[in-house]
Amino acid sequence: MKLIINSITTCILLLLATACSESFLERTPKGILSEEQLSTPENAEKMVIAAYSAQGKEKYYLHPLTPWPYGDLRGGDAYKGGAGVGDLPEWNIAETFSNMTTDEAGVQGKWNVEYNTISRTNLALGILNKMTDDQMPNKTMRIAEMRFLRSNNYFWLKVNFKHVPFIDETVPVDQYNTVGNDLGDQELWNKIIDDLRFAAENLPATHADGAVGRPTKYAAKAYLAKVLLFAAYEQNATHEVIHINKEKLTEVVALCQDVVSSSGKALFNDFGDNFGCETQNGIESLWAIQFSHDDGTPRGNINGTTMVSYPMVAEYGCCGYHSPSQNLVNVFRTKNGLPDFDNYNTVNINGAQGVKANPVDPRLLHTVAMDGVPYKYKADFIFNEKTWTRQYETYGGFMSMKETVIYDSPCYQPVNPWKDSSKNRDVLRMDDVILWLAEALIQLDRPNEALPLINQIRERAAKSTGKLVDVKGMPTGNFDIKPYIATGAGKNIDWSKATAFKALQWERRLEFACEGFRAYDLMRWGIMAETINQYFQVEKTRRPHLASASFTKGRDEFLPIPKKQIDLSKGLYKQNTGY
């Protein structure tokens, strides 16, 4: 699955407008494949591959499948970056929540790219459903794979737009315009849950052909746990959490425990191994979008969203987007080895001197490139905040590193003027599963069971310093991180449901910083408005481009339904609250 074909051409429309005669109209036009002709096991497999290929179709960064442009910019983890607020203004609008309109191009693009990908899975499912088990013995497994892929795209539509039409392979194309976006919040979650239940019941624990890009039973169980966790926080029309469904949380616990105990997956010893080419598809990855390099095509199947995240230094050259916020960097400062929950944002951490003068969580230097510190573990390749960033005076001196690779990496792929790689994008990892389990246990009033799970993540982080060294082999930061101790002589926290949940929220931000999850966590917990407005209150004093930024509670938790889609539906689609 690593070397995946870029597209499968199923229909070629020939312009043969010569003369209209009865005999011409009765002939089957050459170059057009009918649905019956496509309905063969061989073509079914090709359409399955085409559906996988669509999951990685990020040729144009404005229409991202990768979550960071909306998850980080709308969650306070990062600024847009680039050449100022007028450079890709769609993302500036997302970051500041200012001047968002229902016909904004980036929002329309996000809607389109997710539904285009869903269309591939529905086409594949339509053909698979016509196969008999005798014709295609692996039919049920392939259907399960396609329903898993479809659930991935519907999940991202759900957390970005809240109310979207659910169209599956049973809906004829000429009836798409009869399907509205009026499903209730839980009804839509249940549609996604149904796909994942089917996948979990019908996918194998491992694939006999060793195809790492295909989801397994445990990947489906992990994704099912994720969706159930989101659905458990039941919200009203203005996106306030009004009930936490403990039945769903109980299932989350069972699913996560099964994945942890039976999947054969585990945490890497070093946190940084999650972000390198050489270790992709490794022990911690449950399912990843597969990209390709040197696959016989001019540029490979690479991630078009991440190619704008590289520094402006000569070895790369473009484009300086995805700049971690000062608020995010400050979160990594520790006090006696623990997060400084109440005062973290009173001290600005900046550059090599800052990470040596202040105790920090080592995950900071796995995540953020900063002045005077080696870039991507290359000890003699030192980041310079003034010359490597694109517009220092606007966005400051930080850049995101998790999605990039070093210029001499085997999966590095220059695509002038951009630079990119074939590094896979993890969608499901074991650290996520462990923290979902901890979160569900806390909300089920079992915080003591969550304590060792959160500490497991922290203890791995404490060990993840081997890559963070200078040319002399010395640590590049003053690393100080300790587990939470709730009892005994070394007690450092009063561990209750409230403090456990705060620790869980902090751990998720530290672990997944700049991976695109932050806004969706805040949305799930129902605290996005107060969190982002508190963030703006301080951050706009640091970054002038945020001067007019403001979050409107009850509206800005979700993106607007694109006006073009409402128009095309002739008013059948209803707009989100507040737009």
Side-chain angles (χ1 to χ4, degrees):
M1 296 299 298
K2 181 62 180 175
L3 297 179
I4 197 165
I5 64 172
N6 288 327
S7 63
I8 302 294
T9 302
T10 59
C11 296
I12 301 174
L13 185 60
L14 298 181
L15 301 177
L16 300 176
T18 52
C20 291
S21 66
E22 185 177 349
S23 60
F24 173 79
L25 294 173
E26 289 175 351
R27 290 201 303 265
T28 300
K30 294 181 180 180
I32 294 180
L33 298 178
S34 69
E35 190 171 342
E36 290 73 21
Q37 289 172 307
L38 282 172
S39 297
T40 67
E42 180 183 6
N43 285 330
E45 290 287 4
K46 289 179 180 179
M47 291 306 298
V48 166
I49 293 172
Y52 276 105
S53 177
Q55 294 288 333
K57 284 293 182 189
E58 301 210 36
K59 299 299 186 186
Y60 182 40
Y61 50 81
L62 181 55
H63 304 156
L65 288 163
T66 294
W68 73 253
Y70 290 101
D72 287 344
L73 303 187
R74 286 167 46 84
D77 268 9
Y79 320 125
K80 175 183 71 69
V85 297
D87 179 25
L88 216 169
E90 293 85 354
W91 289 359
N92 182 69
I93 292 170
E95 179 188 349
T96 61
F97 302 91
S98 300
N99 303 315
M100 176 62 77
T101 63
T102 59
D103 58 357
E104 196 275 307
V107 171
Q108 175 67 49
K110 179 62 175 170
W111 178 285
N112 286 349
V113 73
E114 297 290 353
Y115 272 111
N116 287 343
T117 308
I118 288 167
S119 73
R120 292 280 190 98
T121 60
N122 283 343
L123 284 169
L125 283 164
I127 296 172
L128 287 166
N129 288 336
K130 295 179 183 296
M131 298 294 100
T132 66
D133 291 332
D134 288 339
Q135 287 176 301
M136 196 171 184
N138 62 351
K139 167 189 170 181
T140 301
M141 181 177 72
R142 291 289 187 255
I143 290 174
E145 291 174 41
M146 294 299 96
R147 293 184 68 175
F148 176 95
L149 295 188
R150 183 169 67 191
S151 70
N152 177 53
N153 298 110
Y154 272 120
F155 171 81
W156 291 112
L157 283 166
K158 181 75 176 72
V159 296
N160 279 292
F161 296 99
K162 190 169 187 176
H163 297 295
V164 299
F166 188 91
I167 298 172
D168 63 18
E169 77 280 9
T170 67
V171 181
V173 173
D174 62 1
Q175 293 182 26
Y176 282 2
N177 61 356
T178 68
V179 181
N181 68 332
D182 55 351
L183 284 177
D185 197 40
Q186 290 299 313
E187 289 179 286
L188 186 51
W189 279 128
N190 288 338
K191 292 285 190 181
I192 302 170
I193 287 167
D194 287 345
D195 270 353
L196 287 167
R197 287 200 194 285
F198 184 90
E201 291 167 2
N202 292 284
L203 287 172
T206 58
H207 286 279
D209 59 4
V212 292
R214 298 188 191 275
T216 65
K217 177 184 296 293
Y218 294 106
K221 287 186 173 185
Y223 219 139
L224 177 57
K226 178 178 184 176
V227 174
L228 285 165
L229 182 64
F230 271 80
Y233 292 83
E234 297 175 5
Q235 300 185 0
N236 62 16
T238 55
H239 323 312
E240 297 170 308
V241 175
I242 56 175
H243 178 67
I244 297 179
N245 188 310
K246 296 198 172 183
E247 183 179 348
K248 285 185 171 69
L249 292 177
T250 300
E251 187 173 1
V252 171
V253 169
L255 287 163
C256 290
Q257 287 176 334
D258 190 21
V259 173
V260 169
S261 63
S262 304
S263 67
K265 295 291 185 175
L267 299 180
F268 277 122
N269 289 327
D270 193 306
F271 178 64
D273 284 340
N274 285 303
F275 313 110
C277 292
E278 297 79 5
T279 46
Q280 59 189 343
N281 295 323
I283 189 68
E284 193 161 345
S285 177
L286 280 157
W287 186 63
I289 304 297
Q290 306 290 303
F291 295 99
S292 61
H293 180 69
D294 292 337
D295 58 4
T297 62
R299 52 175 280 172
N301 190 46
I302 56 178
N303 189 330
T305 305
T306 63
M307 69 184 178
V308 299
S309 298
Y310 283 85
M312 305 300 291
V313 70
E315 285 81 355
Y316 296 121
C318 197
C319 287
Y321 285 83
H322 201 192
S323 176
S325 67
Q326 185 68 64
N327 180 286
L328 174 69
V329 171
N330 294 347
V331 162
F332 288 89
R333 187 169 63 84
T334 62
K335 182 177 181 181
N336 299 322
L338 301 184
D340 190 359
F341 294 116
D342 298 322
N343 299 301
Y344 78 94
N345 208 25
T346 60
V347 176
N348 287 343
I349 306 294
N350 284 292
Q353 186 174 358
V355 293
K356 289 180 179 177
N358 294 275
V360 294
D361 186 315
R363 285 173 289 190
L364 171 60
L365 296 188
H366 289 283
T367 305
V368 180
M370 57 176 56
D371 192 52
V373 180
Y375 184 82
K376 289 298 289 188
Y377 317 129
K378 193 172 183 66
D380 60 352
F381 193 45
I382 308 301
F383 188 85
N384 185 301
E385 65 182 10
K386 298 289 182 63
T387 60
W388 288 39
T389 58
R390 193 169 179 186
Q391 196 169 98
Y392 173 82
E393 63 275 17
T394 301
Y395 297 114
F398 306 130
M399 290 200 66
S400 173
M401 286 195 299
K402 284 181 175 177
E403 70 267 42
T404 65
V405 301
I406 199 66
Y407 60 85
D408 58 4
S409 166
C411 68
Y412 179 59
Q413 173 74 65
V415 185
N416 289 325
W418 297 285
K419 314 299 173 184
D420 208 349
S421 80
S422 59
K423 182 165 69 73
N424 297 340
R425 174 169 63 84
D426 279 319
V427 178
L428 300 167
R429 288 204 314 259
M430 282 300 292
D431 50 356
D432 226 351
V433 174
I434 290 167
L435 290 177
W436 295 332
L437 175 56
E439 182 175 342
L441 288 167
I442 292 166
Q443 296 291 26
L444 288 169
D445 302 310
R446 296 158 62 181
N448 289 341
E449 295 175 63
L451 177 60
L453 297 168
I454 295 173
N455 279 342
Q456 184 180 359
I457 301 297
R458 292 185 64 76
E459 288 161 358
R460 192 268 294 273
K463 296 186 296 184
S464 301
T465 59
K467 300 176 188 291
L468 307 177
V469 294
D470 61 20
V471 291
K472 296 180 180 179
M474 300 300 292
T476 51
N478 177 13
F479 304 126
D480 184 20
I481 177 172
K482 294 181 175 61
Y484 296 104
I485 303 172
T487 59
K491 180 178 177 179
N492 58 17
I493 193 170
D494 292 321
W495 195 257
S496 63
K497 180 178 180 179
T499 56
F501 192 54
K502 178 182 282 190
L504 179 280
Q505 292 173 314
W506 225 263
E507 208 62 34
R508 284 200 60 82
R509 192 176 189 193
L510 296 169
E511 186 78 0
F512 301 108
C514 291
E515 294 185 50
F517 300 153
R518 177 65 172 167
Y520 308 113
D521 283 345
L522 297 175
M523 178 272 292
R524 176 172 79 255
W525 298 325
I527 62 171
M528 195 171 181
E530 51 265 46
T531 302
I532 297 304
N533 279 325
Q534 287 172 8
Y535 162 80
F536 284 148
Q537 187 175 1
V538 177
E539 209 72 2
K540 65 176 55 178
T541 68
R542 298 165 172 161
R543 301 288 182 261
H545 79 282
L546 297 175
S548 62
S550 179
F551 188 103
T552 300
K553 183 176 175 62
R555 182 193 70 184
D556 289 334
E557 289 85 351
F558 293 91
L559 299 172
I561 306 300
K563 180 180 182 298
K564 182 177 180 180
Q565 297 302 319
I566 294 176
D567 292 344
L568 287 171
S569 76
K570 298 181 179 179
L572 182 63
Y573 296 170
K574 303 306 178 187
Q575 186 54 268
N576 281 333
T577 301
Y579 290 102

